[in-house]
Amino acid sequence: MNRRDFLRRASLLASGLMLGSTGGAAEAGFPTVRPPEDKRKFKSRAVERTIETIKARIGNRELAWMFENCFPNALDTAVDFSDAGARPDTFVASSEVDAMWLRDSAAQVWPYVPLMKNDSNLQQLIAGVINRQTRCILKDPYANAFCRDDSRVSPWKSDSTGMKAGVHERKWALDSLCYPIRLAHGYWKASSDRSPLDAAWREAILRVLKTFREQQRKTSPGPYTFQRRTEAQANTLAGDGYGRPSKPVGLICSMFRPTDDATVFPFLVPSNLFAVVSLRQAAELLSQVHRDQETAAQCRGLASEVERALREHAVVIHEKFGRVLPYEIDGYGNYYCIDEASAPSLLSLPYLDAVSPGGPLYLNTRRFVLSDANPYYCTGRAASGPAGPRLGRDMIWPLGLIMQGLTSMDDQEVRQCLVTLQKTHAGTGFMHEAFHKDDAARFTRPWFPRANAMFGELILKSYKERPHVLN
């Protein structure tokens, strides 16, 4: 089943045409909505066994059905794997656009990493993602998304930036270089396999380190600029393409957010916290796999520098919640207190191992994020949950609800997140990009594999840690 067929099928489900009713999936006995087995792009024994285990052991039949649909969705519909060459290669489509985002591709396969030990083919697929991401970073560390074909010319070729063949979009987002490191580190920890962490991978990490230093902008604004002819302010950068000013305090500029919208202030706090984690993970791999102690020390040194700058500049006093982390700062004392639903977000920091989930600073920040003091926390008749500037204040993102559940230490809060997700899939059995606060049937993106993957991750985490919330 191709993406066009999947989107049509999902739209029919949302309208009730395949259910024979507008009353939702439950009345129809949870119909099969995965692609037929012979149309699935990749099959994993370990993933199918996990689905059968969850279906058999949790009491909520609708959540079990949603897990069956969502957890394998990336494998069913988004991956193209080849082992014909010298190294496995996996292209991961991240949206309806035939392009691979570094961020999304890592997130889409991340929940499968623990299953590799029981499925060598799955391990090869994930090694192929790492190999493809290495190629992408070596092509252009400032790009966020890449074409399937290295020779393809992007529809964004007229952007005023260093576009080249094979690059789909060149929006510099700090987290785009963090996610591949997280995946490579998690892969190595789970498998001990060093094969994708070869000389090309090491060279990619050197490019990452160079790019991070350039974007500290200590002595110059650096080589990156971006401008686009557009009516949307969030799709281009001010300041002749360099973005708004920042003071060189040791933090790393990110000119775009995880939603690919432009930042207001260049120092994106959750992305800098993510970078601290990623640099230390890169250092461990360089040290243990490549015996490159010199570059490993440079990574650790930069991580410590960014960490110190965060402590000094990225804590503010909120009139209601006390000491909190802002979303963005500029180093001059200006800051922006919001949160986005897409990770790295303030809410997601424990999930990314950037902070302790029980630390006072994070808990204060979390209370702010999940309150009406956050301009992008949304409350309506259908649900309440995290929204964001990209789609507006009336559109709740399932990614935000999923992240709330993944980072919560409270059973009742996790249960409520699951209930909300169960109530708002609009009868499709899948996660969407966002839905309207008053009507979950008004949603964007019927096919959004990153959200589907993370919903599966939430179900698995809940099953392992608090199975009673699934009954």
Side-chain angles (χ1 to χ4, degrees):
M1 178 181 288
N2 61 33
R3 286 191 291 277
R4 182 178 298 174
D5 292 338
F6 181 88
L7 296 173
R8 178 179 176 275
R9 188 182 185 93
S11 297
L12 290 172
L13 277 167
S15 65
L17 295 177
M18 291 184 68
L19 299 178
S21 160
T22 58
E27 292 183 20
F30 310 117
T32 299
V33 293
R34 290 180 66 185
E37 193 167 337
D38 63 343
K39 301 294 185 183
R40 297 171 190 171
K41 287 180 170 288
F42 187 90
K43 300 170 189 176
S44 164
R45 296 186 307 274
V47 168
E48 298 301 329
R49 284 195 296 265
T50 301
I51 292 169
E52 292 305 315
T53 298
I54 295 296
K55 286 175 62 181
R57 295 184 184 179
I58 69 173
N60 187 317
R61 290 184 59 229
E62 188 167 5
L63 281 179
W65 174 69
M66 292 167 65
F67 177 77
E68 180 182 14
N69 300 330
C70 292
F71 184 57
N73 185 242
L75 300 183
D76 285 353
T77 65
V79 301
D80 283 301
F81 172 70
S82 172
D83 58 359
R87 293 151 48 93
D89 176 50
T90 309
F91 177 88
V92 186
S94 306
S95 71
E96 298 85 354
V97 179
D98 190 31
M100 176 166 155
W101 271 253
L102 293 176
R103 171 193 313 114
D104 292 60
S105 58
Q108 284 166 241
V109 300
W110 178 256
Y112 308 135
V113 169
L115 305 182
M116 295 187 309
K117 61 181 179 293
N118 299 316
D119 190 335
S120 59
N121 290 335
L122 183 64
Q123 180 174 325
Q124 285 296 291
L125 176 125
I126 296 174
V129 178
I130 297 169
N131 291 336
R132 171 71 71 136
Q133 290 178 335
T134 295
R135 278 171 46 197
C136 292
I137 293 168
L138 290 173
K139 178 178 283 290
D140 187 350
Y142 282 105
N144 57 316
F146 296 82
C147 302
R148 182 188 300 267
D149 182 350
D150 284 341
S151 64
R152 183 182 296 179
V153 176
S154 168
W156 301 116
K157 62 184 178 181
S158 61
D159 286 349
S160 181
T161 186
M163 290 294 289
K164 61 180 72 171
V167 170
H168 174 74
E169 191 172 51
R170 196 170 188 260
K171 289 182 171 179
W172 160 240
L174 174 55
D175 70 287
S176 289
L177 295 183
C178 296
Y179 271 102
I181 295 172
R182 181 179 189 245
L183 179 62
H185 185 264
Y187 174 93
W188 177 68
K189 284 288 191 180
S191 68
S192 300
D193 177 33
R194 302 181 176 198
S195 58
L197 309 177
D198 58 6
W201 180 87
R202 177 181 172 276
E203 180 61 30
I205 296 302
L206 293 175
R207 299 279 184 91
V208 170
L209 186 59
K210 178 176 182 289
T211 304
F212 283 3
R213 285 172 169 160
E214 288 172 351
Q215 289 306 309
Q216 287 182 295
R217 301 189 177 186
K218 289 182 175 180
T219 59
S220 76
Y224 177 79
T225 62
F226 182 95
Q227 289 181 300
R228 176 179 292 175
R229 291 186 179 275
T230 176
E231 295 179 356
Q233 180 183 1
N235 274 331
T236 191
L237 296 180
D240 292 326
Y242 287 101
R244 293 180 176 86
S246 61
K247 185 177 181 179
V249 295
L251 296 174
I252 304 167
C253 291
S254 183
M255 306 324 297
F256 289 89
R257 297 172 177 169
T259 56
D260 296 331
D261 283 352
T263 49
V264 173
F265 296 126
F267 296 138
L268 186 55
V269 171
S271 289
N272 272 267
L273 284 160
F274 191 13
V276 171
V277 176
S278 299
L279 283 163
R280 288 172 177 158
Q281 290 173 340
E284 183 180 2
L285 292 172
L286 288 164
S287 175
Q288 297 296 316
V289 175
H290 288 277
R291 306 301 177 189
D292 183 353
Q293 308 304 336
E294 180 181 353
T295 309
Q298 292 178 36
C299 288
R300 293 190 189 98
L302 181 55
S304 295
E305 180 184 0
V306 174
E307 188 174 52
R308 287 192 299 272
L310 285 163
R311 283 197 299 264
E312 184 174 349
H313 298 279
V315 180
V316 301
I317 305 299
H318 190 279
E319 62 181 2
K320 182 176 180 181
F321 297 96
R323 296 175 75 251
V324 301
L325 294 165
Y327 189 65
E328 294 168 356
I329 64 175
D330 65 359
Y332 289 104
N334 300 302
Y335 57 90
Y336 191 24
C337 280
I338 64 160
D339 201 21
E340 288 266 22
S342 185
S345 59
L346 296 172
L347 190 62
S348 72
L349 291 173
Y351 169 78
L352 298 171
D353 297 319
V355 301
S356 166
L361 180 60
Y362 173 72
L363 290 176
N364 286 351
T365 305
R366 182 186 183 89
R367 283 190 284 269
F368 158 73
V369 167
L370 299 175
S371 77
D372 59 8
N374 172 11
Y376 293 102
Y377 186 79
C378 186
T379 299
R381 292 192 298 273
S384 297
R390 184 173 184 81
L391 296 175
R393 297 176 66 186
D394 291 337
M395 299 296 287
I396 296 171
W397 288 56
L399 278 175
L401 289 164
I402 292 165
M403 191 56 69
Q404 182 181 351
L406 284 169
T407 54
S408 176
M409 298 185 293
D410 178 74
D411 286 4
Q412 185 55 40
E413 184 179 15
V414 175
R415 181 183 286 112
Q416 185 56 50
C417 291
L418 291 166
V419 167
T420 302
L421 293 164
Q422 182 178 339
K423 287 167 49 182
T424 56
H425 64 86
T428 67
F430 292 99
M431 297 292 101
H432 306 123
E433 180 186 36
F435 61 86
H436 194 275
K437 65 179 183 179
D438 296 326
D439 181 3
R442 294 168 55 188
F443 59 80
T444 60
R445 287 193 182 178
W447 182 67
F448 195 33
R450 180 183 178 190
N452 289 327
M454 294 192 69
F455 174 79
E457 191 173 1
L458 173 60
I459 294 292
L460 282 176
K461 186 174 190 287
S462 300
Y463 173 72
K464 292 173 183 175
E465 297 179 3
R466 41 177 66 88
H468 49 280
V469 304
L470 298 171
N471 294 321

